[in-house]
Amino acid sequence: MSTSDLPMPELPTPVPPRRRTRQVHVGPVAVGGDAPVSVQSMTTTVTADVDATLQQIAALTAAGCQIVRVAVPTQDDAEALPAIAAKAQIPVIADIHFQPKYVFAAIDAGCAAVRVNPGNIKKFDDKIKEIAKAASDAKVPIRIGVNAGSLDKRLLAKYGKATPEALVESALWECSLFEEHGFSDLKVSVKHHDPVTMVRAYELLADACEYPLHLGVTEAGPLLQGTIKSAVAFGTLLNRGIGDTIRVSLSAPPVEEVKAGISILESCGLRQRRLEIVSCPSCGRAQVDVHTLAEKVAAALDGLPYPLRVAVMGCVVNGPGEAREADLGVSCGNGKGQIFRKGEVITTVPESKIVETLVEEALRLGESLAAEDERSPGRKAVI
């Protein structure tokens, strides 16, 4: 088959224009302006354990994470930052609570950015001038990270609870203090555990400033619940052009946060899809265990770096049509599977051979795409 028969999957209908913001650089990663939305995560290791932290950062990098945050609650953690910042494959952000001195330590350590929580840091306002000068001299951006669970007590007294207005007022107040000292290399987040409150806070913030925004539903929950809450909130905002970086905060391994974040961006049309599995939900017509088969196909093709759409269908109603529309597909029935490639039936195999056959064909198509990339340097298989 000619590689001309392998068109690149098109992006979905374009989302509304991105909100125009200032741009900052977190190491080599541009944030805001016309830069793509980036995916972040945070390590769960004790930062002072340099080897364990670097191993987790390597796993996150392999999963597609672009920026990583590490917690710095102790002096030992601060002292580990130079080694971590120097050896990590992606930019490292130091997450600072309670102690302003760790902000200076992170800047001196070579961290690509610093996140500060104004509601937690004691005497934070009194240190703004010094922090602004140190960050400016080192060209290190700062994220003002406001959380519902650590809102400034003055604003809690004013609003009664962490309302969207309270979160936004906190963030803009702290930004204004940096601006007074000529420092505007800022990005901002106003996180809340409730997606509705979080969305409203970011809408208000987007209307009130030009800073790049980091999206997050804080304490989103376990894998399924947290992914759903984040997808609803991020999808709402991203499809309104709001958001420049994202983190899916899950009670799960950090790599799962990255996978979820990438999938959300792909589903919003903000990243070119890589592997996409199209599979039916199953019903009484199905003559195969579609759930298990789809999981086996997804696991076997996990990590495939080519933009292929693979359909796994369980009956003759929608099966042949969906299989023909995909790059690869299988329509199952009577213990067999018809294998489709680019709309044509190429073979029929026993059910036990379906996964193996789809993997073989996926690799063939992927190799064709890679060969085409080498012949056409301007063409990229994955964006």
Side-chain angles (χ1 to χ4, degrees), residues 290-300:
V290 180
H291 301 159
T292 299
L293 181 59
E295 287 178 357
K296 287 181 178 179
V297 172

Side-chain angles (χ1 to χ4, degrees), residues 6 341 346 357 359-369:
L6 300 172
R341 184 175 62 196
I346 58 171
T357 305
V359 170
E360 291 173 353
E361 293 300 326
L363 291 174
R364 287 193 185 98
L365 286 178
E367 290 169 1
S368 296
L369 287 172

Side-chain angles (χ1 to χ4, degrees), residues 14 130 145 153 165 170 216 218 303 348 350:
E130 295 175 60
K153 292 181 180 179
E165 293 78 9
S170 174
T218 191
T348 300

Side-chain angles (χ1 to χ4, degrees), residues 116-380:
V116 296
N117 187 327
N120 277 345
I121 294 185
K122 299 175 183 178
K123 298 182 180 179
F124 177 77
D125 294 351
D126 296 340
K127 295 289 185 180
I128 295 290
K129 183 177 181 179
E130 295 175 60
I131 292 172
K133 184 179 187 309
S136 179
D137 290 346
K139 294 182 170 51
V140 171
I142 291 174
R143 171 156 75 90
I144 303 296
V146 178
N147 272 24
S150 53
L151 193 63
D152 190 296
K153 292 181 180 179
R154 295 167 292 183
L155 291 168
L156 279 176
K158 177 179 178 179
Y159 289 95
K161 61 180 182 179
T163 65
E165 293 78 9
L167 295 169
V168 171
E169 183 173 331
S170 174
L172 293 178
W173 168 251
E174 299 300 341
C175 289
S176 72
L177 297 180
F178 278 97
E179 294 276 7
E180 285 179 6
H181 299 291
F183 187 84
S184 59
D185 225 5
L186 302 167
K187 63 174 179 170
V188 188
S189 63
V190 282
K191 297 185 179 183
H192 197 284
H193 66 272
D194 174 53
V196 175
T197 302
M198 173 268 198
V199 166
R200 183 56 184 154
Y202 277 98
E203 289 174 337
L204 293 172
L205 185 60
D207 287 341
C209 72
E210 295 183 348
Y211 301 116
L213 304 182
H214 171 69
L215 304 186
V217 177
T218 191
E219 290 93 36
L223 180 60
L224 178 60
Q225 174 183 297
T227 299
I228 292 171
K229 289 169 68 174
S230 298
V232 168
F234 294 178
T236 300
L237 292 167
L238 292 168
N239 280 288
R240 295 175 186 172
I242 298 171
D244 302 285
T245 70
I246 64 172
R247 181 202 172 186
V248 182
S249 299
L250 301 175
S251 299
V255 164
E256 298 300 329
E257 297 187 348
V258 176
K259 291 179 180 178
I262 291 173
S263 292
I264 290 170
L265 293 183
E266 289 177 348
S267 296
C268 289
L270 293 171
R271 281 200 181 190
Q272 180 70 279
R273 292 181 185 271
R274 291 183 288 182
L275 176 68
E276 178 184 6
I277 303 294
V278 177
S279 60
C280 64
S282 191
C283 68
R285 295 188 302 266
Q287 296 179 335
V288 67
D289 182 351
V290 180
H291 301 159
T292 299
L293 181 59
E295 287 178 357
K296 287 181 178 179
V297 172
L301 296 177
D302 185 40
L304 191 74
Y306 307 110
L308 299 180
R309 181 178 290 112
V310 180
V312 180
M313 307 302 294
C315 79
V316 297
V317 176
N318 293 321
E322 290 288 355
R324 284 192 179 92
E325 289 296 314
D327 298 299
L328 287 174
V330 59
S331 179
C332 301
N334 296 320
K336 299 177 182 179
Q338 272 192 327
I339 306 296
F340 291 76
R341 184 175 62 196
K342 306 308 294 183
E344 301 292 335
V345 176
I346 58 171
T347 188
T348 300
V349 298
E351 188 177 321
S352 61
K353 296 289 186 181
I354 289 174
V355 176
E356 175 186 334
T357 305
L358 286 176
V359 170
E360 291 173 353
E361 293 300 326
L363 291 174
R364 287 193 185 98
L365 286 178
E367 290 169 1
S368 296
L369 287 172
E372 182 67 15
D373 287 342
E374 292 179 4
R375 292 192 294 269
S376 304
R379 179 181 180 277
K380 295 295 181 184

